[in-house]
Structure formats: structure tokens, C-alpha cells
Short mmCIF file of all heavy atoms in Angstrom, two decimals:
data_model
loop_
_atom_site.label_atom_id
_atom_site.label_comp_id
_atom_site.label_asym_id
_atom_site.label_seq_id
_atom_site.Cartn_x
_atom_site.Cartn_y
_atom_site.Cartn_z
N MET A 15 -8.49 40.23 24.42
CA MET A 15 -7.36 39.42 24.92
C MET A 15 -7.29 39.49 26.44
O MET A 15 -7.39 40.57 27.02
CB MET A 15 -6.04 39.96 24.33
CG MET A 15 -5.80 39.49 22.91
SD MET A 15 -5.63 37.71 22.76
CE MET A 15 -3.91 37.51 23.20
N PRO A 16 -7.10 38.37 27.08
CA PRO A 16 -6.97 38.37 28.54
C PRO A 16 -5.72 39.14 28.97
O PRO A 16 -4.73 39.20 28.25
CB PRO A 16 -6.82 36.89 28.88
CG PRO A 16 -7.30 36.15 27.69
CD PRO A 16 -7.06 37.03 26.52
N LYS A 17 -5.81 39.71 30.14
CA LYS A 17 -4.68 40.42 30.71
C LYS A 17 -3.64 39.41 31.20
O LYS A 17 -3.98 38.39 31.77
CB LYS A 17 -5.17 41.27 31.89
CG LYS A 17 -4.48 42.60 32.02
CD LYS A 17 -5.28 43.50 32.94
CE LYS A 17 -4.96 43.23 34.39
NZ LYS A 17 -5.78 44.06 35.29
N GLU A 18 -2.36 39.73 30.95
CA GLU A 18 -1.31 38.80 31.33
C GLU A 18 -0.54 39.33 32.52
O GLU A 18 -0.25 40.52 32.61
CB GLU A 18 -0.37 38.64 30.13
CG GLU A 18 0.58 37.46 30.26
CD GLU A 18 1.43 37.28 29.00
OE1 GLU A 18 0.86 37.28 27.90
OE2 GLU A 18 2.65 37.18 29.14
N LEU A 19 -0.23 38.45 33.46
CA LEU A 19 0.56 38.84 34.62
C LEU A 19 1.64 37.80 34.85
O LEU A 19 1.36 36.60 34.90
CB LEU A 19 -0.34 38.94 35.86
CG LEU A 19 0.38 39.23 37.17
CD1 LEU A 19 0.73 40.71 37.27
CD2 LEU A 19 -0.46 38.83 38.36
N VAL A 20 2.87 38.26 34.98
CA VAL A 20 3.97 37.36 35.27
C VAL A 20 4.33 37.51 36.73
O VAL A 20 4.55 38.61 37.23
CB VAL A 20 5.19 37.67 34.39
CG1 VAL A 20 6.32 36.69 34.70
CG2 VAL A 20 4.82 37.60 32.92
N LYS A 21 4.35 36.40 37.43
CA LYS A 21 4.71 36.41 38.84
C LYS A 21 5.74 35.31 39.07
O LYS A 21 5.42 34.13 38.99
CB LYS A 21 3.45 36.18 39.69
CG LYS A 21 3.67 36.57 41.13
CD LYS A 21 2.46 36.21 41.96
CE LYS A 21 2.69 36.58 43.41
NZ LYS A 21 1.67 36.00 44.29
N GLY A 22 6.98 35.72 39.32
CA GLY A 22 8.04 34.74 39.44
C GLY A 22 8.20 34.00 38.13
O GLY A 22 8.33 34.61 37.08
N ASP A 23 8.15 32.68 38.20
CA ASP A 23 8.27 31.90 36.97
C ASP A 23 6.91 31.45 36.46
O ASP A 23 6.81 30.58 35.62
CB ASP A 23 9.19 30.69 37.20
CG ASP A 23 8.69 29.80 38.32
OD1 ASP A 23 7.72 30.20 39.01
OD2 ASP A 23 9.26 28.72 38.51
N LYS A 24 5.85 32.06 37.00
CA LYS A 24 4.51 31.68 36.57
C LYS A 24 3.83 32.81 35.82
O LYS A 24 4.08 33.98 36.08
CB LYS A 24 3.66 31.29 37.79
CG LYS A 24 4.03 29.94 38.35
CD LYS A 24 3.09 29.59 39.48
CE LYS A 24 3.40 28.18 39.99
NZ LYS A 24 2.66 27.91 41.23
N LYS A 25 2.97 32.41 34.93
CA LYS A 25 2.19 33.38 34.18
C LYS A 25 0.71 33.18 34.46
O LYS A 25 0.24 32.04 34.53
CB LYS A 25 2.45 33.22 32.68
CG LYS A 25 3.65 34.00 32.20
CD LYS A 25 3.69 33.99 30.68
CE LYS A 25 4.82 34.87 30.15
NZ LYS A 25 4.84 34.87 28.67
N TYR A 26 0.03 34.28 34.61
CA TYR A 26 -1.41 34.21 34.84
C TYR A 26 -2.11 35.06 33.78
O TYR A 26 -1.57 36.05 33.31
CB TYR A 26 -1.76 34.74 36.22
CG TYR A 26 -1.18 33.94 37.35
CD1 TYR A 26 0.05 34.27 37.89
CD2 TYR A 26 -1.87 32.85 37.87
CE1 TYR A 26 0.59 33.53 38.93
CE2 TYR A 26 -1.35 32.11 38.91
CZ TYR A 26 -0.11 32.44 39.44
OH TYR A 26 0.42 31.73 40.46
N TYR A 27 -3.32 34.65 33.50
CA TYR A 27 -4.12 35.38 32.52
C TYR A 27 -5.48 35.67 33.14
O TYR A 27 -6.09 34.79 33.72
CB TYR A 27 -4.29 34.56 31.24
CG TYR A 27 -2.96 34.15 30.64
CD1 TYR A 27 -2.37 32.94 30.99
CD2 TYR A 27 -2.31 35.00 29.76
CE1 TYR A 27 -1.14 32.59 30.46
CE2 TYR A 27 -1.08 34.64 29.22
CZ TYR A 27 -0.50 33.43 29.58
OH TYR A 27 0.72 33.08 29.07
N GLN A 28 -5.92 36.92 32.99
CA GLN A 28 -7.17 37.31 33.62
C GLN A 28 -8.23 37.60 32.58
O GLN A 28 -8.01 38.35 31.62
CB GLN A 28 -6.96 38.56 34.47
CG GLN A 28 -8.22 38.97 35.22
CD GLN A 28 -8.02 40.22 36.04
OE1 GLN A 28 -7.30 41.12 35.67
NE2 GLN A 28 -8.66 40.26 37.19
N CYS A 29 -9.39 37.04 32.80
CA CYS A 29 -10.57 37.39 32.01
C CYS A 29 -10.96 38.81 32.39
O CYS A 29 -11.23 39.08 33.56
CB CYS A 29 -11.70 36.41 32.30
SG CYS A 29 -13.28 36.94 31.59
N GLU A 30 -10.96 39.72 31.44
CA GLU A 30 -11.25 41.12 31.76
C GLU A 30 -12.74 41.36 31.99
O GLU A 30 -13.13 42.42 32.43
CB GLU A 30 -10.73 42.03 30.65
CG GLU A 30 -9.22 42.05 30.61
CD GLU A 30 -8.68 43.05 29.59
OE1 GLU A 30 -8.96 42.86 28.40
OE2 GLU A 30 -8.00 43.99 29.99
N GLU A 31 -13.54 40.40 31.67
CA GLU A 31 -14.98 40.54 31.88
C GLU A 31 -15.37 40.20 33.31
O GLU A 31 -16.05 40.95 33.98
CB GLU A 31 -15.76 39.66 30.89
CG GLU A 31 -15.61 40.08 29.44
CD GLU A 31 -16.30 41.42 29.13
OE1 GLU A 31 -17.32 41.71 29.74
OE2 GLU A 31 -15.78 42.17 28.28
N CYS A 32 -14.95 39.03 33.77
CA CYS A 32 -15.38 38.59 35.11
C CYS A 32 -14.26 38.69 36.14
O CYS A 32 -14.51 38.56 37.33
CB CYS A 32 -15.93 37.17 35.06
SG CYS A 32 -14.71 35.90 34.72
N GLY A 33 -13.02 38.90 35.68
CA GLY A 33 -11.93 39.11 36.61
C GLY A 33 -11.28 37.85 37.15
O GLY A 33 -10.39 37.93 37.98
N LEU A 34 -11.71 36.69 36.68
CA LEU A 34 -11.11 35.44 37.15
C LEU A 34 -9.75 35.23 36.50
O LEU A 34 -9.50 35.68 35.38
CB LEU A 34 -12.02 34.25 36.83
CG LEU A 34 -13.26 34.14 37.71
CD1 LEU A 34 -14.13 32.99 37.22
CD2 LEU A 34 -12.90 33.92 39.17
N TRP A 35 -8.88 34.52 37.22
CA TRP A 35 -7.52 34.28 36.75
C TRP A 35 -7.34 32.84 36.30
O TRP A 35 -7.87 31.92 36.92
CB TRP A 35 -6.52 34.57 37.87
CG TRP A 35 -6.40 36.02 38.17
CD1 TRP A 35 -7.12 36.70 39.11
CD2 TRP A 35 -5.54 36.98 37.56
NE1 TRP A 35 -6.74 38.02 39.11
CE2 TRP A 35 -5.77 38.21 38.18
CE3 TRP A 35 -4.57 36.89 36.55
CZ2 TRP A 35 -5.09 39.37 37.82
CZ3 TRP A 35 -3.89 38.04 36.19
CH2 TRP A 35 -4.14 39.26 36.81
N TYR A 36 -6.52 32.68 35.28
CA TYR A 36 -6.21 31.35 34.75
C TYR A 36 -4.71 31.23 34.52
O TYR A 36 -4.03 32.23 34.31
CB TYR A 36 -6.94 31.13 33.42
CG TYR A 36 -8.43 31.15 33.55
CD1 TYR A 36 -9.13 32.34 33.45
CD2 TYR A 36 -9.14 29.98 33.80
CE1 TYR A 36 -10.51 32.37 33.60
CE2 TYR A 36 -10.52 30.00 33.94
CZ TYR A 36 -11.19 31.20 33.83
OH TYR A 36 -12.55 31.22 33.99
N THR A 37 -4.22 30.00 34.56
CA THR A 37 -2.81 29.79 34.26
C THR A 37 -2.64 29.46 32.78
O THR A 37 -1.53 29.32 32.30
CB THR A 37 -2.24 28.62 35.09
OG1 THR A 37 -3.09 27.49 34.93
CG2 THR A 37 -2.16 29.00 36.56
N ASP A 38 -3.74 29.36 32.09
CA ASP A 38 -3.73 28.97 30.69
C ASP A 38 -4.38 30.06 29.85
O ASP A 38 -5.54 30.41 30.07
CB ASP A 38 -4.48 27.64 30.56
CG ASP A 38 -4.65 27.22 29.12
OD1 ASP A 38 -3.78 27.53 28.29
OD2 ASP A 38 -5.67 26.58 28.82
N ARG A 39 -3.63 30.61 28.91
CA ARG A 39 -4.16 31.72 28.12
C ARG A 39 -5.38 31.31 27.29
O ARG A 39 -6.32 32.07 27.11
CB ARG A 39 -3.08 32.26 27.19
CG ARG A 39 -3.61 33.42 26.40
CD ARG A 39 -2.66 34.04 25.37
NE ARG A 39 -1.44 33.33 25.16
CZ ARG A 39 -0.28 33.92 24.86
NH1 ARG A 39 -0.23 35.21 24.76
NH2 ARG A 39 0.79 33.21 24.65
N LYS A 40 -5.35 30.08 26.80
CA LYS A 40 -6.45 29.62 25.98
C LYS A 40 -7.76 29.60 26.77
O LYS A 40 -8.81 30.03 26.29
CB LYS A 40 -6.15 28.19 25.48
CG LYS A 40 -6.14 28.08 23.96
CD LYS A 40 -5.53 26.78 23.52
CE LYS A 40 -6.59 25.75 23.12
NZ LYS A 40 -5.96 24.48 22.68
N THR A 41 -7.68 29.09 27.99
CA THR A 41 -8.87 29.02 28.82
C THR A 41 -9.34 30.41 29.21
O THR A 41 -10.54 30.69 29.20
CB THR A 41 -8.58 28.19 30.09
OG1 THR A 41 -7.97 26.97 29.70
CG2 THR A 41 -9.86 27.89 30.84
N ALA A 42 -8.41 31.31 29.52
CA ALA A 42 -8.78 32.68 29.85
C ALA A 42 -9.46 33.35 28.66
O ALA A 42 -10.43 34.09 28.83
CB ALA A 42 -7.54 33.47 30.28
N GLY A 43 -8.95 33.08 27.47
CA GLY A 43 -9.55 33.63 26.27
C GLY A 43 -10.96 33.11 26.05
O GLY A 43 -11.86 33.85 25.66
N LYS A 44 -11.15 31.83 26.35
CA LYS A 44 -12.47 31.22 26.22
C LYS A 44 -13.44 31.86 27.20
O LYS A 44 -14.59 32.15 26.88
CB LYS A 44 -12.38 29.72 26.50
CG LYS A 44 -12.43 28.86 25.24
CD LYS A 44 -11.86 27.48 25.47
CE LYS A 44 -12.80 26.51 26.13
NZ LYS A 44 -12.21 25.15 26.24
N CYS A 45 -12.96 32.05 28.43
CA CYS A 45 -13.79 32.66 29.45
C CYS A 45 -14.19 34.06 29.03
O CYS A 45 -15.35 34.44 29.10
CB CYS A 45 -13.02 32.69 30.78
SG CYS A 45 -13.99 33.29 32.17
N GLN A 46 -13.21 34.83 28.56
CA GLN A 46 -13.51 36.22 28.21
C GLN A 46 -14.49 36.30 27.05
O GLN A 46 -15.40 37.13 27.04
CB GLN A 46 -12.21 36.95 27.87
CG GLN A 46 -12.46 38.44 27.68
CD GLN A 46 -11.18 39.26 27.78
OE1 GLN A 46 -10.28 38.94 28.53
NE2 GLN A 46 -11.12 40.32 27.01
N ALA A 47 -14.31 35.44 26.07
CA ALA A 47 -15.22 35.43 24.93
C ALA A 47 -16.63 35.07 25.38
O ALA A 47 -17.61 35.68 24.96
CB ALA A 47 -14.73 34.45 23.88
N TRP A 48 -16.71 34.08 26.28
CA TRP A 48 -18.01 33.65 26.77
C TRP A 48 -18.66 34.77 27.60
O TRP A 48 -19.82 35.11 27.40
CB TRP A 48 -17.87 32.38 27.62
CG TRP A 48 -19.19 31.90 28.13
CD1 TRP A 48 -19.86 32.38 29.21
CD2 TRP A 48 -20.01 30.88 27.56
NE1 TRP A 48 -21.05 31.72 29.35
CE2 TRP A 48 -21.17 30.80 28.35
CE3 TRP A 48 -19.86 30.03 26.45
CZ2 TRP A 48 -22.19 29.89 28.07
CZ3 TRP A 48 -20.88 29.12 26.18
CH2 TRP A 48 -22.03 29.06 26.98
N CYS A 49 -17.89 35.33 28.51
CA CYS A 49 -18.43 36.37 29.40
C CYS A 49 -18.92 37.57 28.60
O CYS A 49 -19.96 38.14 28.90
CB CYS A 49 -17.36 36.80 30.39
SG CYS A 49 -16.97 35.56 31.63
N ALA A 50 -18.15 37.96 27.59
CA ALA A 50 -18.51 39.13 26.80
C ALA A 50 -19.80 38.88 26.03
O ALA A 50 -20.64 39.76 25.89
CB ALA A 50 -17.38 39.49 25.84
N GLU A 51 -19.96 37.66 25.55
CA GLU A 51 -21.12 37.36 24.73
C GLU A 51 -22.36 37.10 25.57
O GLU A 51 -23.46 37.53 25.23
CB GLU A 51 -20.81 36.15 23.85
CG GLU A 51 -21.84 35.94 22.75
CD GLU A 51 -21.55 34.71 21.90
OE1 GLU A 51 -20.37 34.32 21.82
OE2 GLU A 51 -22.51 34.14 21.35
N HIS A 52 -22.18 36.36 26.67
CA HIS A 52 -23.35 35.92 27.45
C HIS A 52 -23.60 36.73 28.70
O HIS A 52 -24.62 36.55 29.36
CB HIS A 52 -23.17 34.44 27.83
CG HIS A 52 -23.07 33.53 26.65
ND1 HIS A 52 -24.16 32.94 26.06
CD2 HIS A 52 -21.99 33.12 25.93
CE1 HIS A 52 -23.76 32.20 25.04
NE2 HIS A 52 -22.44 32.30 24.93
N LYS A 53 -22.64 37.60 29.07
CA LYS A 53 -22.77 38.38 30.30
C LYS A 53 -23.01 37.50 31.52
O LYS A 53 -23.71 37.85 32.46
CB LYS A 53 -23.91 39.42 30.18
CG LYS A 53 -23.67 40.43 29.08
CD LYS A 53 -22.50 41.34 29.40
CE LYS A 53 -22.17 42.25 28.21
NZ LYS A 53 -20.80 42.76 28.28
N SER A 54 -22.45 36.30 31.46
CA SER A 54 -22.48 35.40 32.61
C SER A 54 -21.32 34.43 32.42
O SER A 54 -20.70 34.40 31.37
CB SER A 54 -23.80 34.63 32.67
OG SER A 54 -23.84 33.65 31.67
N CYS A 55 -21.05 33.65 33.47
CA CYS A 55 -19.90 32.76 33.39
C CYS A 55 -20.33 31.34 33.06
O CYS A 55 -21.40 30.89 33.43
CB CYS A 55 -19.13 32.77 34.71
SG CYS A 55 -18.16 34.29 34.92
N ASN A 56 -19.45 30.65 32.36
CA ASN A 56 -19.66 29.25 32.02
C ASN A 56 -18.98 28.41 33.10
O ASN A 56 -17.76 28.45 33.27
CB ASN A 56 -19.03 28.98 30.64
CG ASN A 56 -19.27 27.55 30.19
OD1 ASN A 56 -19.33 26.63 30.99
ND2 ASN A 56 -19.40 27.38 28.89
N LEU A 57 -19.77 27.63 33.82
CA LEU A 57 -19.23 26.85 34.94
C LEU A 57 -18.14 25.89 34.51
O LEU A 57 -17.19 25.63 35.24
CB LEU A 57 -20.36 26.07 35.62
CG LEU A 57 -21.33 26.89 36.48
CD1 LEU A 57 -22.41 25.99 37.03
CD2 LEU A 57 -20.59 27.57 37.62
N GLU A 58 -18.26 25.37 33.30
CA GLU A 58 -17.25 24.42 32.82
C GLU A 58 -15.92 25.11 32.57
O GLU A 58 -14.87 24.49 32.58
CB GLU A 58 -17.73 23.73 31.55
CG GLU A 58 -18.81 22.70 31.83
CD GLU A 58 -19.29 22.02 30.55
OE1 GLU A 58 -18.58 22.04 29.53
OE2 GLU A 58 -20.39 21.46 30.59
N ILE A 59 -15.98 26.42 32.30
CA ILE A 59 -14.74 27.17 32.10
C ILE A 59 -14.19 27.64 33.43
O ILE A 59 -13.01 27.47 33.72
CB ILE A 59 -14.98 28.37 31.15
CG1 ILE A 59 -15.43 27.89 29.76
CG2 ILE A 59 -13.70 29.19 31.02
CD1 ILE A 59 -15.84 29.01 28.81
N ILE A 60 -15.05 28.21 34.26
CA ILE A 60 -14.53 28.83 35.48
C ILE A 60 -14.05 27.80 36.50
O ILE A 60 -13.35 28.17 37.44
CB ILE A 60 -15.55 29.81 36.14
CG1 ILE A 60 -16.78 29.07 36.65
CG2 ILE A 60 -15.93 30.92 35.18
CD1 ILE A 60 -17.69 29.97 37.49
N GLU A 61 -14.37 26.55 36.31
CA GLU A 61 -13.81 25.56 37.23
C GLU A 61 -12.29 25.40 37.03
O GLU A 61 -11.60 24.84 37.86
CB GLU A 61 -14.53 24.22 37.13
CG GLU A 61 -14.24 23.44 35.87
CD GLU A 61 -14.97 22.08 35.84
OE1 GLU A 61 -15.82 21.83 36.72
OE2 GLU A 61 -14.67 21.29 34.93
N HIS A 62 -11.78 25.94 35.93
CA HIS A 62 -10.34 25.90 35.68
C HIS A 62 -9.63 27.16 36.21
O HIS A 62 -8.42 27.28 36.08
CB HIS A 62 -10.06 25.77 34.18
CG HIS A 62 -10.62 24.51 33.59
ND1 HIS A 62 -10.11 23.27 33.88
CD2 HIS A 62 -11.66 24.30 32.74
CE1 HIS A 62 -10.82 22.36 33.22
NE2 HIS A 62 -11.77 22.95 32.53
N ALA A 63 -10.40 28.08 36.75
CA ALA A 63 -9.80 29.32 37.26
C ALA A 63 -8.93 29.01 38.47
O ALA A 63 -9.18 28.04 39.20
CB ALA A 63 -10.90 30.31 37.64
N VAL A 64 -7.92 29.85 38.69
CA VAL A 64 -7.06 29.65 39.87
C VAL A 64 -7.81 30.16 41.10
O VAL A 64 -8.48 31.17 41.07
CB VAL A 64 -5.70 30.34 39.73
CG1 VAL A 64 -4.86 29.67 38.67
CG2 VAL A 64 -5.85 31.82 39.43
N LYS A 65 -7.65 29.43 42.21
CA LYS A 65 -8.39 29.76 43.43
C LYS A 65 -7.84 31.02 44.08
O LYS A 65 -8.57 31.86 44.56
CB LYS A 65 -8.30 28.60 44.42
CG LYS A 65 -8.80 27.27 43.86
CD LYS A 65 -10.32 27.15 43.98
CE LYS A 65 -10.80 25.76 43.57
NZ LYS A 65 -10.60 25.46 42.14
N ASP A 66 -6.50 31.12 44.11
CA ASP A 66 -5.89 32.29 44.73
C ASP A 66 -5.46 33.27 43.66
O ASP A 66 -4.51 33.02 42.92
CB ASP A 66 -4.67 31.85 45.55
CG ASP A 66 -5.04 30.81 46.58
OD1 ASP A 66 -5.98 31.06 47.34
OD2 ASP A 66 -4.38 29.74 46.62
N ALA A 67 -6.16 34.38 43.57
CA ALA A 67 -5.83 35.39 42.58
C ALA A 67 -4.44 35.96 42.87
O ALA A 67 -4.15 36.32 44.00
CB ALA A 67 -6.86 36.50 42.61
N PRO A 68 -3.59 36.00 41.87
CA PRO A 68 -2.24 36.54 42.06
C PRO A 68 -2.29 38.04 42.30
O PRO A 68 -3.07 38.75 41.67
CB PRO A 68 -1.52 36.19 40.76
CG PRO A 68 -2.61 36.09 39.75
CD PRO A 68 -3.82 35.58 40.48
N GLU A 69 -1.45 38.52 43.20
CA GLU A 69 -1.35 39.96 43.43
C GLU A 69 -0.45 40.57 42.38
O GLU A 69 0.59 40.03 42.04
CB GLU A 69 -0.77 40.23 44.82
CG GLU A 69 -1.67 39.79 45.96
CD GLU A 69 -2.94 40.64 46.05
OE1 GLU A 69 -2.85 41.85 45.92
OE2 GLU A 69 -4.02 40.06 46.29
N ALA A 70 -0.86 41.68 41.86
CA ALA A 70 -0.07 42.34 40.80
C ALA A 70 1.22 42.91 41.39
O ALA A 70 1.27 43.22 42.57
CB ALA A 70 -0.88 43.44 40.14
ZN1 ZN B 124 -14.82 35.41 32.44
#
């Protein structure tokens, strides 16, 4: 399961494999599943990652 972070009124989800952040849990879950299985990132998934990683 992706790590969840709440910042203000926004929620972020982090792929624990590659460390990228998403605003959508489903996409973060897809990324994590892909990363764990392939040990690399799927460009079609990571293009949905947030550019500015939220500070915890
Ligand atoms: Zn990932």
C-alpha cells in the first residue's frame, strides 16, 4: 500500500518503491505494484506523479 500523507486539505500518496508522490491513491498503487514487480518505473504511470514532493 502506498504511504499516505495529508497536507492541509490535500492528500498525497507515495510509492514506497521509487518514492514518487501522487495525488491519486489508485495511481500510486499502480506505480508501487509496477515498481515492485519490474524494479523500474513505468513512464505512463510516473507522468502522473506530482512535480513538487510534499514535505512531511
Ligand atoms: Zn513507483
Side-chain angles (χ1 to χ4, degrees):
M15 280 297 277
K17 217 164 83 183
E18 194 176 310
L19 175 78
V20 181
K21 197 186 179 192
D23 58 352
K24 285 184 177 170
K25 273 190 175 181
Y26 296 92
Y27 303 92
Q28 183 181 35
C29 170
E30 292 185 297
E31 294 291 327
C32 69
L34 286 176
W35 289 92
Y36 297 88
T37 52
D38 174 31
R39 182 183 8 213
K40 239 167 102 180
T41 310
K44 257 159 80 176
C45 185
Q46 188 162 326
W48 181 280
C49 290
E51 192 182 334
H52 299 270
K53 298 293 173 201
S54 73
C55 285
N56 183 327
L57 286 178
E58 286 180 20
I59 298 174
I60 65 171
E61 72 178 9
H62 299 291
V64 291
K65 303 277 187 293
D66 304 308
E69 294 292 317

